[in-house]
Amino acid sequence: MDRNELAGFLRRCRTRLAPSDVGLPQGARRRTPGLRREEVAQLAGMSTDHYTRLEQARGSRPSRQMLTAVARALRLSDDERDHLFHLAGEEPPSNRAPTEHVRPGLLLVLDRLTDSPAQVVSDRGDVLAQNAMAKALHGDASARPEAERNVVWRYFTDPEARELFPPEERDRGVRAAVADLRATLARRPDDARLAALVRRLRARSEEFAALWDTHDVAVRRSDVKRFQHPVVGPLELDCEVMLSPEHDQRLVLYTARPGSESYDRLQLLRVIGLQSLTS
């Protein structure tokens, strides 16, 4: 909790509001602009003393319920509310619905990454967009039925999906996928589509059900990935995972270290992939 920053932020937000903005009478002439502290406290349903202490950087850590009430009283935008939570040392509430719309700028980045596989994946595991190199590495997701464009679903229902990875990598890969999916469901417990995916996987795969019941949780991060490509052979690639501002989409980028065998094989994959797309 950053008490000084929190105090300054609350003061600024309070002074920019007029009583009429929140349905209060103007009353007697005010010596300073904005709402009074007792008015904010009244709107938030808390004691004036408690709110005053927060503005004076002397208050105890507010509860999530109190932060929500203060954000509503001060008419904060979603970004301002999230900032308020961060200053108080709390994770902001997640009430944004996940979207499958990939921003045009991100699609432009994909198009310009001509020598490295890259794809946009939702935090549910749905492949939303791929560049030509990603299609050459993973296969063209858009050519599959919609239900089979989810990487976790394919891991547990399509044996061919695992053949892209060396045997010694497969167990680690499926465990990471399940742990990441559980972390996503914890962030969005009301996501009906995500919950349905988990139910379908549990019913379809005993392996998934067993891993799900371990309650392992881990968000996917940058890593080294090893592939066994059917044409160019083994690849060891650095995997960078970049999150969207809402954290519901990820740009996954694979690169090889210059001078390595994997780098040469990746260049070969680029040629083969482009030939396949133009043939």
Side-chain angles (χ1 to χ4, degrees), residues 113-119 130-142 144 164 227-233 235 237 254 265-278:
L113 289 170
T114 59
D115 59 352
S116 297
Q119 58 186 14
Q130 296 175 291
N131 68 357
M133 284 289 286
K135 293 177 182 179
L137 178 62
H138 294 285
D140 187 353
S142 64
R144 306 184 192 111
L164 185 59
F227 298 89
Q228 186 63 45
H229 194 273
V231 178
V232 302
L235 292 164
L237 304 178
Y254 299 97
R265 288 175 179 149
L266 198 60
Q267 301 312 303
L268 177 60
L269 180 64
R270 176 173 179 265
V271 174
I272 294 173
L274 291 178
Q275 289 177 345
S276 175
L277 289 174
T278 56

Side-chain angles (χ1 to χ4, degrees), residues 151-152 155-156 162 165-181 207 211 220 223-226:
V151 294
V152 187
Y155 280 163
F156 289 97
R162 298 198 189 190
F165 304 94
E168 64 274 13
E169 290 288 310
R170 294 170 189 172
D171 182 68
R172 184 173 76 101
V174 294
R175 287 180 179 275
V178 175
D180 182 78
L181 198 64
E207 181 187 16
L211 290 173
R220 283 182 180 266
D223 197 1
V224 175
K225 298 287 187 180
R226 294 175 178 84

